[in-house]
Amino acid sequence: MHVMDDDLAGFVQSVLPNSSTIELVLEALQTLGVETLDDLKYVQEQDLVNVLRPIEARKMIEHIKALSKKDASEIPEPPSRAELACPIATARGMRSVIPGTDSSSPSEYCADNSSSPLSTPGSSTPSTPRVQSAVNNNWHFIFEIPWSKMPSEFKRKLENRERPSGRERREFIRLMVGEILTICPTPGKKHLSEIARKIVSAYPLSFRDVIEDQVVGSGYDSLTKQLQSRVDNINRGKTSLYLKRQASSTSEGEDPPSKMVRLDTYGCVNWQPKRLPPHETEDTQKRTQEELKNMHKNRSNDTRNIAKKMVATFYTQRNDIISGMETLVLVREWPYLFEMCGMIAHFKELTGVDVDREAMSVKCARVVSYLASHEKKSKIEDILAGMEIAKVNHLDADLPGCLMLLLKHFNEAQGKMFLVVDKTCLPSEVGVLPSTPCIVACGNSPLTAGHFMLAVDQTIVNGSIQNFCDALILMFASYYCLNISYPADLGATLEFLQR
């Protein structure tokens, strides 16, 4: 969830001081497009019924109405176009001053240097003013890229239209985020995306996302992601929503909790539904759950009906997952949660995203082609040879080959994602498993395996997966559906798949 205006968060806190749903309310408001206190006047009661109880929703609306009726002098007016173009002096007489400069002549700080091209390396362009007061939410449109602060070798590469090395790019991201945080301590994705766009526009040959001469996505998605990851790392622990598991805190003298609690993740649109679906009760949820268990026991092939029932019981599934139900218990209580029809239904409800198999196939083929032509042959020749053998046997080698090549490219541990066992191995015979989701390939390699298994929390949760594509989707969706963080030694590959 992107962090919103501090005044807005403070207002929600003042209206609901004892509520445990403040973060959910802020997330719901953001989804509606609310970014400032002034935006609240457009919120209606029905917008809040999914995250607040009826009385809480009405109380919030009453306070919003009272806020909108206050004397205009008590609420700061939006900045004028002049103030937006040059946030030096505000209506309250406040001034943002660049350290080391003469504060008596603010006009010199208003020069428009948002692109700051390196074609004028001799210029001593001042950095973006550091506004310590309330930050206008449109600050990113006038943010100036601090090109003059970049190392000389890095600037030379940009001028020569060369791509910086991985180390140079990471250093650039570090400097950029340092500059951004002096303007806004909690920038959102929309801010970082616009800044990334400016960077790519200034030096497209050095920064644009390209594979085989084709622009990937917007062309600046990877740069946006790097900026966002750096901001998240710096602000880690300062906000409450992270993709991880964490033990519940306890007061002094209390017994520690016996199990872990699965916490919220950004990227999910329906992480913890607050209300049962219409016409549903706890009894009907329990009945449907038992029906699903019986269908699984009887090996039902009615995937459409299974998916419908999984969607109907999504509320109860999420409660069980978030409450920390052990994986073995989840397998028993929600067996379809670890099979394709059920996992995909849960994933769609959770993230709002459909899994596009055709797009996966096309993109994997392109990635394989790119890595095969750019990686050192000695590093990947075994994988390429295995792919050729798989194709001779009429097996689809692009998807597993793509994943293996990515792991090699990012120098990440293949053993953390794949465990290769004998093709006759039973689920109960699989040896030591990693704690994070992984694919067990039953055969000589993931490229030629006859079938696969899925392991989560060192437990085989699905022992009969017929193809690699299903195994990959189940493994990746498990991170989201079960709120498990990406392991550090697979982070780059999983982030690549996510995009």
Side-chain angles (χ1 to χ4, degrees), residues 399-448:
L399 194 53
C402 174
L403 215 54
M404 295 169 74
L405 288 170
L406 285 171
L407 288 165
K408 280 287 187 182
H409 177 73
F410 293 121
N411 295 316
E412 295 186 327
Q414 181 173 306
K416 290 283 187 176
M417 184 173 289
F418 300 121
L419 178 67
V420 178
V421 299
D422 188 80
K423 63 181 179 180
T424 61
C425 184
L426 299 174
S428 59
E429 297 173 342
V430 178
V432 179
L433 292 161
S435 58
T436 49
C438 79
I439 296 171
V440 178
C442 301
N444 294 326
S445 83
L447 291 164
T448 58

Side-chain angles (χ1 to χ4, degrees), residues 97-101 105-114 116 123-130 142-149 179:
V97 181
I98 303 175
T101 59
S105 55
S107 59
E108 63 182 289
Y109 309 144
C110 298
D112 181 10
N113 294 301
S114 58
S116 299
S123 62
S124 56
T125 305
S127 61
T128 308
R130 292 167 169 75
I142 58 168
F143 179 82
E144 300 169 4
I145 310 300
W147 299 114
S148 60
K149 294 186 177 182
E179 194 73 12

Side-chain angles (χ1 to χ4, degrees), residues 339-389:
E339 298 196 2
M340 278 300 294
C341 56
M343 178 74 83
I344 292 301
H346 189 103
F347 184 79
K348 173 65 184 300
E349 287 295 301
L350 180 66
T351 65
V353 175
D354 276 315
V355 177
D356 190 338
R357 290 169 177 267
E358 184 177 348
M360 285 175 58
S361 177
V362 171
K363 291 179 181 179
C364 280
R366 289 172 58 190
V367 172
V368 167
S369 175
Y370 176 83
L371 292 177
S373 60
H374 286 74
E375 285 287 348
K376 292 181 179 178
K377 294 298 181 184
S378 59
K379 186 177 180 179
I380 61 172
E381 58 184 358
D382 290 345
I383 299 174
L384 296 177
M387 291 178 66
E388 289 301 320
I389 293 172

Side-chain angles (χ1 to χ4, degrees), residues 184-450:
C184 177
T186 53
K189 184 177 179 180
K190 74 171 186 179
H191 303 124
L192 301 176
S193 181
E194 170 61 18
I195 292 169
R197 187 196 64 77
K198 288 183 180 181
I199 294 170
V200 172
S201 295
Y203 296 98
L205 295 179
S206 299
F207 292 105
R208 182 177 289 157
D209 299 337
V210 177
I211 294 180
E212 294 183 340
D213 298 326
Q214 293 188 18
V215 177
V216 179
S218 65
Y220 51 88
D221 291 335
S222 66
L223 199 57
T224 301
K225 188 65 178 178
Q226 282 186 286
L227 291 170
Q228 195 170 10
S229 295
R230 176 66 180 171
V231 169
D232 288 345
N233 287 336
I234 291 176
N235 289 335
R236 191 179 300 275
K238 298 178 183 178
T239 58
S240 62
L241 303 182
Y242 281 93
L243 183 61
K244 63 182 180 181
R245 298 180 182 179
Q246 175 176 310
S248 298
S249 59
T250 57
S251 302
E252 187 175 354
E254 291 183 0
D255 292 332
S258 59
K259 55 189 176 183
M260 306 298 279
V261 175
R262 304 176 194 261
L263 291 186
D264 195 0
T265 74
Y266 77 89
C268 299
V269 298
N270 196 14
W271 177 76
Q272 186 179 21
K274 301 300 292 182
R275 299 284 182 272
L276 283 165
H279 312 300
E280 285 283 337
T281 65
E282 291 186 5
D283 288 339
T284 60
Q285 291 274 294
K286 191 67 179 175
R287 248 191 333 265
T288 306
Q289 182 180 2
E290 290 302 320
E291 290 172 4
L292 283 166
K293 290 161 73 173
N294 288 331
M295 292 174 75
H296 187 269
K297 184 178 180 180
N298 296 324
R299 300 178 181 274
S300 172
N301 293 321
D302 189 356
T303 55
R304 180 174 295 183
N305 194 24
I306 292 168
K308 182 179 179 181
K309 291 180 183 295
M310 288 293 290
V311 170
T313 54
F314 178 77
Y315 170 88
T316 304
Q317 294 167 44
R318 293 308 301 168
N319 281 349
D320 286 347
I321 292 169
I322 294 166
S323 67
M325 183 177 283
E326 297 294 338
T327 301
L328 279 172
V329 182
L330 278 173
V331 174
R332 185 174 66 247
E333 295 299 317
W334 300 102
Y336 282 117
L337 185 58
F338 300 94
E339 298 196 2
M340 278 300 294
C341 56
M343 178 74 83
I344 292 301
H346 189 103
F347 184 79
K348 173 65 184 300
E349 287 295 301
L350 180 66
T351 65
V353 175
D354 276 315
V355 177
D356 190 338
R357 290 169 177 267
E358 184 177 348
M360 285 175 58
S361 177
V362 171
K363 291 179 181 179
C364 280
R366 289 172 58 190
V367 172
V368 167
S369 175
Y370 176 83
L371 292 177
S373 60
H374 286 74
E375 285 287 348
K376 292 181 179 178
K377 294 298 181 184
S378 59
K379 186 177 180 179
I380 61 172
E381 58 184 358
D382 290 345
I383 299 174
L384 296 177
M387 291 178 66
E388 289 301 320
I389 293 172
K391 290 176 180 178
V392 168
N393 294 323
H394 306 290
L395 298 173
D396 183 5
D398 278 344
L399 194 53
C402 174
L403 215 54
M404 295 169 74
L405 288 170
L406 285 171
L407 288 165
K408 280 287 187 182
H409 177 73
F410 293 121
N411 295 316
E412 295 186 327
Q414 181 173 306
K416 290 283 187 176
M417 184 173 289
F418 300 121
L419 178 67
V420 178
V421 299
D422 188 80
K423 63 181 179 180
T424 61
C425 184
L426 299 174
S428 59
E429 297 173 342
V430 178
V432 179
L433 292 161
S435 58
T436 49
C438 79
I439 296 171
V440 178
C442 301
N444 294 326
S445 83
L447 291 164
T448 58

